[in-house]
Amino acid sequence: MAPAPEQPPLQLGSQQLSAVLERNWDFSAEFAARKVDSATGTISAIDPTCNSNNVENRAFTECNQAFLRATVASPHLTQWGSTSSARRFVDQAAESTASRPHGTAPGSTWPQHMDIRADTSYNDACRARNASCPLLWVTFATMCRVGTNRLASSLEQLGIPLAALGMGTLWKNRWGYRMRALHDLLLHEPDERLVVWSDSEDVIPAPYATPDRILKQYRSLVQLQGGPRIFFPAEFACYPIRKLENVYPDPTKLPFSLGNTPFYFLNAGLMVGPAGLIRRMIEVVYQDDCFDDQLAYTLAFLDPLKWWMSQSRVVQVGSSTKQVVPTDAKPLIGLDYWNGLLMAMYALPNKDYVVDAASKKLTIKATGGSPLLMHQNGGKTENRILEILSKEFGYDYEADTLEALRKSGGVYRLATSQQREGGAGDA
């Protein structure tokens, strides 16, 4: 259980953050405008060659067809991306957003102010990648590994359209670069489209995470928390700056609390929200190409950023501490503390997960939540929960890894609800 912050404040501002970080973070609309190219709408790169001396040493796996079908040209290929591999991936991409005029969106059937609602009729539209699908999953990968291919295949099975950015570029720990890539892709998406953004190698959807169920759970989060439109999973550990622990609110004392939870802190491996709001948020919080994205979103959550709609219905995003904010403005960012939609799996032991033997529904004992989208953040040397769940869900998994766990006496499968009722524990 994460320690509860001392006297947790419910209203946070940049002065309190500055006392912790000894830096004044500017989240004003004026600051955001200075970073956006007025001609193209793209974010102007700050320090694009940072970490250029880092060594790339990750193992490469051939990309499967599901991933290749999802690959799009990065909205901007840096000098590191002018390689034959970049052209190869771009040529095989099913659709390149780079060919679209600035400010336009695919298809012509999208209503101007479409409500994001849960409706099973959307499942067929999403499976067909029709423009009327209100959901898009976006990931970033500079090379394929087992988990990358698994994510693409599982989403294709569920009928969730995927756009994969990053191929043809080098990673070099450029977290801010991938924020820019997402922002510039979203210039070509309707503002109202619900976007799921995720890491690529260590994220899976549940096998019942159909588009309509994702939409329904997203709406439930919005209604529960009464305002936020962009959600991240809450996690057990405060990263990357541990001393921010006491600046976070205590979720058990929030007005909409559902009770105890060990998950207090923002994790950036998953994000769900409308395309227009995510795009505007990135314009505000982007610092440079190597600035940690989890820190950027954490500072935005704690500031807090606000959102509202002007008379012209244009989304505005700004800081409550840097400018005059309308009285009806709402917090922009919320955390899924009770795993209704999102799950960050770091530091949660395998015994705290239960899978229903018949439906394969996953339940988190600590919260009672059944997440649809899961990210195993952090180290994976001992706990291989994502491989265990992938086998339970019928996805590709690292068989050698689970066999090694079995031989060593480690947990290589989870307790099912039937085993628990019968008194049996983990294998």
Side-chain angles (χ1 to χ4, degrees):
M1 179 80 177
E6 298 177 3
Q7 299 179 343
L10 297 183
Q11 298 296 324
L12 303 169
S14 60
Q15 288 184 347
Q16 288 159 292
L17 284 179
S18 296
V20 176
L21 298 173
E22 299 180 352
R23 177 171 174 179
N24 210 359
W25 300 95
D26 191 346
F27 289 140
S28 66
E30 178 187 356
F31 177 62
R34 293 200 300 267
K35 293 180 288 190
V36 177
D37 186 296
S38 59
T40 64
T42 60
I43 292 182
S44 301
I46 300 174
D47 197 10
T49 60
C50 59
N51 291 344
S52 58
N53 293 325
N54 284 13
V55 176
E56 298 271 316
N57 57 7
R58 296 185 301 164
F60 175 79
T61 300
E62 184 175 354
C63 296
N64 64 13
Q65 288 300 310
F67 183 86
L68 291 177
R69 282 189 286 270
T71 302
V72 298
S74 290
H76 37 70
L77 290 174
T78 68
Q79 66 270 30
W80 297 343
S82 56
T83 64
S84 59
S85 63
R87 298 272 66 82
R88 177 168 59 88
F89 281 110
V90 170
D91 291 343
Q92 293 184 68
E95 182 180 17
S96 172
T97 59
S99 64
R100 297 186 191 137
H102 167 57
T104 63
S108 58
T109 60
W110 191 273
Q112 185 176 4
H113 300 299
M114 186 174 186
D115 184 24
I116 297 176
R117 63 189 187 275
D119 186 333
T120 55
S121 66
Y122 288 135
N123 291 344
D124 291 339
C126 292
R127 186 172 295 280
R129 298 184 70 91
N130 187 284
S132 62
C133 173
L135 180 67
L136 175 67
W137 192 303
V138 186
T139 193
F140 186 96
T142 58
M143 61 180 66
C144 287
R145 301 180 77 180
V146 172
T148 312
N149 288 335
R150 175 173 60 210
L151 177 64
S153 296
S154 60
L155 293 177
E156 194 167 82
Q157 291 171 25
L158 289 165
I160 298 174
L162 171 66
L165 296 172
M167 280 294 170
T169 65
L170 296 180
W171 173 229
K172 304 292 185 181
N173 292 323
R174 295 186 300 151
W175 303 98
Y177 171 73
R178 72 175 195 169
M179 293 171 68
R180 277 202 299 127
L182 173 61
H183 170 276
D184 293 354
L185 173 75
L186 296 184
L187 287 168
H188 310 285
E189 294 295 331
D191 283 350
E192 298 87 355
R193 176 163 283 152
L194 190 68
V195 170
V196 177
W197 163 258
S198 80
D199 289 355
S200 63
E201 297 174 4
D202 53 6
V203 173
I204 57 172
Y208 38 83
T210 52
D212 66 298
R213 285 180 173 168
I214 293 174
L215 293 166
K216 180 179 179 181
Q217 288 304 110
Y218 169 77
R219 283 182 62 86
S220 295
L221 272 176
V222 171
Q223 291 166 1
L224 171 67
Q225 300 195 19
R229 290 299 189 273
I230 298 174
F231 289 94
F232 294 85
E235 68 165 300
F236 185 83
C238 185
Y239 179 87
I241 300 180
R242 186 173 181 179
K243 60 184 176 181
L244 286 176
E245 281 183 349
N246 291 331
V247 186
Y248 270 87
D250 181 346
T252 66
K253 297 181 180 178
L254 293 171
F256 51 81
S257 178
L258 297 180
N260 290 331
T261 175
F263 310 112
Y264 278 56
F265 310 110
L266 183 147
N267 174 263
L270 277 166
M271 171 172 57
V272 181
L277 283 172
I278 292 176
R279 177 173 53 81
R280 287 291 292 121
M281 176 183 67
I282 293 174
E283 289 172 8
V284 173
V285 305
Y286 168 81
Q287 301 289 328
D288 61 59
D289 269 15
C290 284
F291 193 86
D292 188 280
D293 60 346
Q294 182 146 313
L295 178 57
Y297 295 134
T298 293
L299 295 173
F301 172 70
L302 296 176
D303 185 72
L305 289 184
K306 298 284 188 177
W307 73 276
W308 66 93
M309 304 290 273
S310 70
Q311 291 182 350
S312 61
R313 302 293 292 172
V314 176
V315 172
Q316 301 291 326
V317 174
S319 168
S320 61
T321 61
K322 293 292 182 182
Q323 62 196 97
V324 176
V325 178
T327 56
D328 60 346
K330 300 288 187 181
L332 180 67
I333 299 172
L335 306 186
D336 188 353
Y337 298 107
W338 297 280
N339 316 126
L341 174 62
L342 306 167
M343 176 72 193
M345 296 178 154
Y346 174 74
L348 192 69
N350 291 333
K351 63 182 179 61
D352 287 352
Y353 301 89
V354 176
V355 176
D356 183 82
S359 67
K360 299 301 180 184
K361 183 179 180 180
L362 175 69
T363 300
I364 311 303
K365 293 181 184 179
T367 62
S370 296
L372 297 179
L373 317 177
M374 287 149 276
H375 173 220
Q376 188 184 1
N377 49 311
K380 302 168 184 65
T381 304
E382 309 226 350
N383 189 333
R384 302 311 303 268
I385 183 63
L386 211 67
E387 301 308 315
I388 296 171
L389 284 175
S390 294
K391 183 178 181 181
E392 293 278 357
F393 291 162
Y395 299 153
D396 291 337
Y397 64 95
E398 297 176 8
D400 292 346
T401 295
L402 297 192
E403 177 62 16
L405 283 174
R406 186 190 67 81
K407 289 181 177 179
S408 67
V411 176
Y412 65 96
R413 65 186 177 93
L414 299 185
T416 65
S417 55
Q418 289 180 353
Q419 288 174 328
R420 185 176 57 170
E421 290 164 4
D426 294 331

